């Protein structure tokens, strides 16, 4: 791809749900209700686990963190989409897009790691009930959660760095949020940093 076809992107244009402003307002209220329901439900779970001493066990501790991650995932994407629908706008800044990708991947990866940990927790509780309180004590649970969050943020850094290491030929994203596959389609070279490193490693 020639250099003259490359451009410095200062902002991205997200996909509109509709070009009709009245429909955009309808989408805003629809997503607002869904977002409010999701956040309220998860915060009720977090509050119940935090304030009810009967729920102070590793299983509910993991469940509380899972609810927190779910709030993070929807909060990264939905509010910006709602604001764009309300303001009849499509723009998201370059920095905002980077932050959205980083936070979304971080929360999603943490979610995946935590679900794996919760499966292990149930395995220990069912298959080794007499050793459960020794193997899954509060110290171990806290260390596991620190590992889950740190691993998620490391995944976020890795994927965000790889995605935005390329030059973009256009700024029009065919999605209502900054999604990595759609961003890579905007690349002038069609090759990001992670793919280049993987190719060099295989050839070596």
């Amino acid at each position: 791809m020639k250099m003259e076809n490359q451009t410095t992107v200062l902002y991205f244009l997200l996909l509109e749900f509709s070009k009709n402003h009245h429909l955009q307002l309808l989408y805003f209220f629809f997503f607002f209700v869904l977002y409010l329901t999701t956040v309220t439900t998860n915060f009720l779970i977090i509050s119940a686990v935090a304030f009810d001493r009967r729920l102070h066990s590793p299983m509910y501790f993991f469940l509380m963190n899972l609810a927190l991650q779910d709030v993070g995932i929807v909060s990264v994407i939905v509010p910006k989409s709602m604001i764009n629908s309300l303001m009849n706008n499509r723009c998201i800044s370059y920095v905002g897009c980077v932050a959205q990708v980083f936070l979304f991947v971080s929360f999603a990866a943490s979610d995946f790691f935590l679900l794996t940990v919760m499966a292990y927790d149930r395995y220990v509780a069912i298959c080794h009930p007499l050793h459960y309180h020794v193997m899954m004590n509060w110290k171990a649970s806290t260390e596991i959660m620190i590992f889950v969050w740190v691993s998620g943020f490391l995944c976020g850094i890795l994927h965000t760095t790889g995605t935005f290491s390329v030059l973009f030929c256009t700024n029009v994203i065919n999605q209502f949020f900054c999604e990595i596959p759609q961003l890579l389609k905007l690349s002038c070279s069609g090759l990001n940093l992670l793919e280049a490193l993987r190719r060099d490693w295989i050839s070596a």
Side-chain angles (χ1 to χ4, degrees):
M1 186 66 67
K2 295 181 180 179
M3 288 299 293
E4 58 264 27
N5 290 335
Q6 299 174 351
T7 181
T8 301
V9 174
L10 301 178
Y11 63 91
F12 293 95
L13 295 175
L14 300 173
L15 182 68
E16 293 177 301
F17 288 107
S18 173
K19 295 187 180 297
N20 187 309
H21 184 54
H22 295 292
L23 284 177
Q24 290 278 51
L25 293 177
L26 182 62
Y27 289 129
F28 166 79
F29 287 111
F30 176 71
F31 279 106
F32 177 76
V33 172
L34 287 180
Y35 177 70
L36 191 62
T37 302
T38 303
V39 171
T40 301
T41 303
N42 281 288
F43 271 120
L44 285 175
I45 295 173
I46 294 169
S47 300
V49 175
F51 295 111
D52 191 341
R53 294 185 60 84
R54 294 172 298 177
L55 302 180
H56 289 183
S57 65
M59 180 179 70
Y60 290 105
F61 175 62
F62 295 145
L63 183 62
M64 182 178 69
N65 279 273
L66 185 66
L68 187 61
Q69 290 168 353
D70 289 343
V71 170
I73 289 174
V74 296
S75 297
V76 166
I77 296 174
V78 178
K80 178 58 180 176
S81 180
M82 289 193 304
I83 292 172
N84 282 359
S85 295
L86 184 63
M87 305 299 294
N88 197 24
N89 185 28
R90 299 176 58 192
C91 292
I92 183 171
S93 66
Y94 185 91
V95 174
C97 193
V98 171
Q100 195 175 70
V101 168
F102 168 71
L103 291 173
F104 177 76
V105 173
S106 297
F107 282 121
S110 298
D111 211 32
F112 172 78
F113 293 139
L114 183 53
L115 288 172
T116 304
V117 168
M118 292 175 73
Y120 173 75
D121 174 73
R122 291 300 86 201
Y123 166 78
V124 174
I126 295 170
C127 298
H128 304 282
L130 299 179
H131 298 91
Y132 177 75
H133 292 290
V134 176
M135 299 173 66
M136 296 300 294
N137 54 50
W138 276 109
K139 183 176 182 294
S141 300
T142 303
E143 290 175 349
I144 288 172
M145 278 313 309
I146 292 173
F147 172 78
V148 165
W149 283 105
V150 171
S151 299
F153 284 118
L154 287 177
C155 283
I157 292 172
L158 183 66
H159 285 282
T160 305
T161 303
T163 301
F164 290 94
S165 64
V166 301
L167 290 174
F168 298 103
C169 292
T170 179
N171 65 342
V172 181
I173 302 176
N174 190 30
Q175 183 58 280
F176 69 97
F177 70 101
C178 291
E179 185 185 40
I180 290 180
Q182 296 299 327
L183 284 167
L184 293 179
K185 289 180 181 179
L186 311 182
S187 168
C188 294
S189 61
L191 185 70
N192 70 355
L193 178 61
L194 297 179
E195 291 172 336
L197 290 174
R198 184 176 62 179
R199 183 192 62 180
D200 293 341
W201 180 78
I202 292 174
S203 61

